[in-house]
Amino acid sequence: MAGAIALGGVFFVGTLWYWLVEGWSWEDAAYMTVITLATVGYGETHPLGSRGRLFTIALILLGVMNIGYIVNRFTEAIIQGYFQEGIRLQQQRRLMESLTEHYIICGFSRTGRQIAKEFRAEGVPFVVIDSEMESVQRAQTEGYTAYQGDATLDDTLLKVGIERAMCIVAALPSDAENLYIVLSAKTLNSGIRVIARASTEEALQKLRRGGADEVISPYITGGKRMAAAALRPQVLDFVDGILTGADRQLYMEEFLLDPAFCPFVGQTLQKARLRSQSGALVLAIRRLDGTLIGGPTGDTVLMSGDRLIGMGTAEQLRSLNQILGPIGSQKLRRPKNS
């Protein structure tokens, strides 16, 4: 911009000189200035004296410097843009390669944005995939790791580390695209947990048959929550308060009992004394065969493969995690460390 303004100024001064000092017409003055700045080698429009020739020499030098500056800036912008794009892609590739036990959000629409907010509040690593550059830029502006690509393609999922991911959320508006994601994810990583969005009941059934571990319909879930808000508002507020948000005092977490690490497999809850040791409350136990035991008593026996659902403060849940031993990272997420 500065070079163009300077070149325009030189053109104006040159034209003014030939018009006022040499006494030429505006047309001849402008023509002489252009061929001088362009250094095309045409002859003088009218004979010039010594003073006119010295000015023309100065005009040529100024023109060459200005044009050289413009060309240099233009070339620099192209080269810098090329290398910066290369550096950006290299950094993005390294970031994707460093991700492990992370979550993948497919789609950054209203649903995807809300999921990303909850993941950030939980402090879990995740990456967003969206085919629209505008959505990717918005995700990056909000501080999320984002990748532009078609989430239904295997190549895209591989680039965001699907084989190392813990969970993938298919939150695209299209049920067909979500089904493609479910099939691709399970093919590339059979142990990954897949959560899918469904718009219709028929799509809900197909996504489950396709291998989705959980299928959520915003309309069904929204209707249930609205009914609960009308019938049991305090209960809903309490449950929401321990499931979502960054400023919670109580949390709920899942713990997988692995006999290789947990010393309490085969013991009763009373004998394990989990409540007295950690302060956390065991709300329910999900058996390996899917049986759910709500409000387990002291006589309930802890078995291999059980998933304990506990509630307490962050410190109490960290303590419970240490008592039970490491969680199988391929199955469940570890509790927050802060």
Side-chain angles (χ1 to χ4, degrees):
M1 184 64 180
I5 294 175
L7 185 61
V10 173
F11 171 78
F12 178 75
V13 170
T15 303
L16 203 61
W17 171 277
Y18 292 122
W19 178 57
L20 292 177
V21 178
E22 299 296 334
W24 298 358
S25 66
W26 274 108
E27 182 181 355
D28 289 343
Y31 177 73
M32 182 65 181
T33 304
V34 170
I35 63 174
T36 300
L37 293 177
T39 64
V40 294
Y42 295 157
E44 297 172 357
T45 305
H46 298 289
L48 289 171
S50 299
R51 183 179 59 180
R53 290 179 177 177
L54 287 174
F55 175 78
T56 303
I57 292 172
L59 192 65
I60 291 173
L61 294 176
L62 287 173
V64 169
M65 286 189 293
N66 273 277
I67 293 174
Y69 174 79
I70 294 172
V71 171
N72 179 65
R73 295 294 294 176
F74 181 73
T75 305
E76 184 181 354
I78 294 177
I79 294 175
Q80 279 188 349
Y82 175 80
F83 282 109
Q84 284 178 352
E85 179 65 15
I87 293 172
R88 186 189 68 80
L89 292 175
Q90 188 177 26
Q91 290 175 339
Q92 185 183 60
R93 184 167 57 252
R94 288 178 179 174
L95 177 61
M96 297 303 173
E97 291 175 352
S98 68
L99 290 172
T100 180
E101 294 189 358
H102 57 289
Y103 290 63
I104 300 173
I105 303 174
C106 301
F108 199 63
S109 58
R110 287 176 295 179
T111 303
R113 288 196 293 271
Q114 186 59 43
I115 296 170
K117 289 180 181 179
E118 295 298 331
F119 282 179
R120 170 184 277 177
E122 290 289 338
V124 298
F126 67 94
V127 59
V128 175
I129 303 175
D130 200 285
S131 59
E132 299 292 333
M133 176 55 73
E134 183 179 350
S135 298
V136 172
Q137 290 176 343
R138 178 171 182 174
Q140 292 173 340
T141 301
E142 296 180 15
Y144 305 137
T145 302
Y147 179 83
Q148 184 185 11
D150 187 348
T152 64
L153 301 179
D154 291 358
D155 184 61
T156 301
L157 296 179
L158 288 171
K159 286 181 178 177
V160 297
I162 183 70
E163 69 277 11
R164 302 184 305 276
M166 182 181 297
C167 178
I168 183 170
V169 182
L172 296 178
S174 169
D175 292 330
E177 290 180 327
N178 288 331
L179 181 58
Y180 272 116
I181 294 172
V182 171
L183 295 172
S184 297
K186 284 296 185 179
T187 301
L188 298 172
N189 182 353
S190 60
I192 195 171
R193 182 169 174 80
V194 180
I195 313 298
R197 176 189 186 275
S199 301
T200 65
E201 291 188 14
E202 182 180 357
L204 189 147
Q205 296 172 359
K206 289 183 178 179
L207 285 164
R208 284 177 176 164
R209 289 199 298 267
D213 296 283
E214 288 290 341
V215 183
I216 307 298
S217 170
Y219 307 107
I220 296 175
T221 303
K224 289 180 179 179
R225 288 178 61 83
M226 292 178 70
L231 300 173
R232 292 174 289 276
Q234 298 304 318
V235 174
L236 183 64
D237 288 345
F238 174 75
V239 173
D240 278 347
I242 60 178
L243 287 179
T244 61
D247 55 350
R248 291 175 284 167
Q249 295 181 344
L250 292 176
Y251 297 82
M252 289 180 67
E253 278 295 354
E254 299 180 10
F255 302 89
L256 177 64
L257 299 189
D258 188 340
F261 301 101
C262 181
F264 303 109
V265 173
Q267 297 184 16
T268 63
L269 273 176
Q270 183 177 14
K271 196 170 183 179
R273 298 174 51 247
L274 299 179
R275 178 68 186 277
S276 60
Q277 290 187 73
S278 66
L281 177 64
V282 178
L283 297 177
I285 299 176
R286 174 78 70 177
R287 296 295 192 194
L288 193 59
D289 62 1
T291 303
L292 179 66
I293 302 174
T297 65
D299 296 328
T300 303
V301 178
L302 300 175
M303 302 175 64
S304 175
D306 282 354
R307 296 184 182 186
L308 272 63
I309 301 175
M311 182 182 72
T313 63
E315 185 60 37
Q316 289 172 341
L317 291 176
R318 281 196 298 269
S319 177
L320 182 59
N321 184 45
Q322 293 172 356
I323 293 170
L324 294 175
I327 292 179
S329 60
Q330 295 301 315
K331 298 294 183 181
L332 298 171
R333 179 174 58 81
R334 298 177 186 271
K336 293 173 63 179
N337 292 322
S338 59

